[in-house]
Every structure is written in C-alpha cells, then in structure tokens.
Amino acid sequence: MSDVVLDVRNMSVVLGPHFAVKDVSYQIRAGEILGVVGESGCGKSLTSLAIMGLLDKQLALSGEILFAGENLVGMSEKRYQHIRGEGVGMIFQEPMTALNPVVTVGEQVAEMFLVHEGVSKAEAMNRAIEMLRQVHIPYPEKRAKAFPHELSGGMRQRVMIAIALACKPKVLIADEPTTALDVTVQAQVLDLLEELRETTGTAIQFISHSLGVVSQISDRVMVMYAGQVVEIADVNDIFDNPQHPYTQALLDTIPRVGADIKRLPAIPGSVPPLDKRGENYTFRDRCPELFDHYVQLAQQRNGQIAGGY
Ligand SMILES: Nc1ncnc2c1ncn2[C@@H]1O[C@H](COP(=O)(O)OP(=O)(O)OP(=O)(O)O)[C@@H](O)[C@H]1O
Ligand SMILES: [Mg+2]
C-alpha cells in the first residue's frame, strides 16, 4: 500500500530472556490516527520508544521498522537525529520532564527551527510564535517569553505538541499525552490533535491505557496485552464486534450509556512483570474464567470460533 508511512514488522523488544514486546506488526497510513490501548505494562511505551530509537541499552530490539522505505532498526545515531526531527516526532505524558525549566518556551520551539532548518534566530522565534498560535496558545507573543512552570499543564502539553510538530513530522507519537490533564483540558488536547491531523496530514499513533479516550480520537485501534498485539481493527469494529477476549474485557470497563451488559469495575488481577509471565503467557493465563466467558460470547455473536487467542 502506497499510503503507509510506518510499517512495523515482527518487532520484538527483549530484556535478557524476557519479551517486553513480542512479534508486533502494524502499519500506520498517512493522515490516520491509530490508537494503541492496553493496561499498564503492556508494552505501549516501549513500542514507541523503539520507533524513536530511544530504548534503554539493556533492551534488545529486533524486527523491522520501515519509515519511508528505510529500516530504522540498527540505524546510525546521526541518521536517527534527522529522522527524529522531520520523520517521527513524539510527545510524552508529562511535559514538565521533557521541557527545559530554565529556557523560555518560545526559545524551545525556536530551537527546532534553528537546528533543523538553519534559519536566523529572529526568524526561528517568529516561526515559533506562529507554531504556538497554531496549537491555540493565547497571546503567543507574550507566552513565548514564559518559562514552563509559568504555564498550566494543558498549555505545557500544547508547547510539547508545537515542538514535536515544528519540523512537520510525517508521524507523531503521542504517549498518554492527556493522562495528567483534567477531563476538560484533555478533551481540548484531543480536539487539537485531530485538527492538526486535518490541517497537516500528520499520522498520529495515540497511546492510552483508556479505551474510552482512544476511541474518541482514533480511526483504528490496536489492542496490546502483555507485549503482544491481540487485535487491530477500525474503531467501530472494536466496539461493535470485538474479536479478542481482552478487547471485550477492556470494553466492559468503559461506562456506556444504555449498555445492558454488566459492567466490570476493572479487569481482575494485573499484567504481570516480565519475569513472571512464563513462556507463551496470554490473557487466558490471567483470568481463565473471564476468558472462556468472552470466547463464548464471541462465538454466539459470530456463529463461529474466532481463532488466534
Ligand atoms: N527500561 C526498562 N528496563 C526493563 N524493563 C522495562 C523497561 N521499560 C519497561 N520495562 C518493562 O516492560 C514492560 C512494558 O513497559 P511499557 O513501559 O512499554 O508499558 P506501558 O504499556 O507503556 O505501560 P504504562 O501504561 O504504565 O505506561 C513492563 O513490564 C515494564 O516494567
Ligand atoms: Mg507507557
């Protein structure tokens, strides 16, 4: 397919003998928002960090990550710096840790134009102010002179988005960008990401542990459990016809208007740490009864046995 911008093939991330990400394959198309969902420890962040070339040294990466036909796995650091600016950008959950506390936010955005486009300092600052305007920061000329701690959490996240988008990346990875924000501000940031996708055509890999949040913004959803992709489908299919028991379990934890199914307060247990997963660990090992219950439901719905659990 020609509109695929990121093509991840059989990617694994291992720590010694343990798989943190196991044989993950997916594609992101131009202008698409792919949601990635799963509980804490499912490998969502490691999947993103692997794409960014930012994995800790003790973690070993294998497989292929094709970006514009180029394999990022094993790429030189020098080449990666180029890719990170203009190819793939990333925003993180807590902007305070990613922003430099002693540099104004305007200068931090301007830095991207200085480094990647070699424009003059004055020009870089003008472009930075335009960028702040584009992410709907009010009074951008004034706010450009502010330090990160002088802005609210929502405004800081907008600054992070401005930095990530400054070089017009083809893919933006947003790792829980709204988790630390209250619900109203969270909705505003989601709206902003959607608007930027429309205006810039940037594809977005949007990560959250909440299927409710992911469904608000995604075209397609990838569900991960314990380092593996258990299901990828259009967002409507995820809701109307979930194939994997884990997807169904996640769905049943979302409050839904008019739902006649009994809601799960939470999925029993938790995702075990890497060294407690055992070989070929799956969701079935965590809660076999729930698993069988959901398999039965899926069979009733589909009139067939959906394979590959
Ligand atoms: N640098 C690391 N060294 C060793 N183990 C790691 C490292 N980073 C992550 N892990 C382990 O790998 C697994 C997946 O971690 P990851 O951070 O990708 O999860 P996640 O899905 O992003 O979770 P969360 O929702 O909490 O952010 C976890 O069991 C985690 O403890
Ligand atoms: Mg994470």
Side-chain angles (χ1 to χ4, degrees), residues 211 223-226 228-233 237-238 241-252 267 281-285 290-299 301-302 306-309:
L211 187 50
V223 184
M224 293 187 73
Y225 184 72
Q228 289 178 281
V229 172
V230 297
E231 183 160 3
I232 305 183
D237 292 333
I238 289 283
N241 193 16
Q243 294 297 307
H244 194 279
Y246 183 62
T247 310
Q248 301 188 22
L250 284 180
L251 275 170
D252 281 352
I267 303 173
Y281 171 83
T282 70
F283 183 52
R284 180 189 293 221
D285 299 310
L290 196 63
F291 187 95
D292 290 342
H293 165 70
Y294 283 131
V295 170
Q296 274 176 10
L297 276 185
Q299 285 169 356
R301 248 197 343 263
N302 295 338
Y309 294 135

Side-chain angles (χ1 to χ4, degrees), residues 15 20 39-46 56 58-59 176 274 277:
L15 177 71
E39 293 159 290
S40 187
C42 281
K44 307 181 297 296
S45 293
L46 288 182
D56 278 355
Q58 78 260 30
L59 298 167
E176 308 253 8
L274 302 184
R277 285 181 196 172

Side-chain angles (χ1 to χ4, degrees), residues 9 14 16 49 56 63 73 87 104 131 135 140 168 173 175 193-194 205 212 224 231 235 250 267 288-289 292:
R9 297 184 182 176
V14 298
L49 292 170
D56 278 355
V73 177
T104 67
M131 213 54 233
V135 296
K168 301 193 170 56
I173 299 178
D175 191 355
L193 289 173
E194 243 181 328
Q205 175 169 323
M224 293 187 73
E231 183 160 3
V235 63
L250 284 180
I267 303 173
E289 282 162 25
D292 290 342

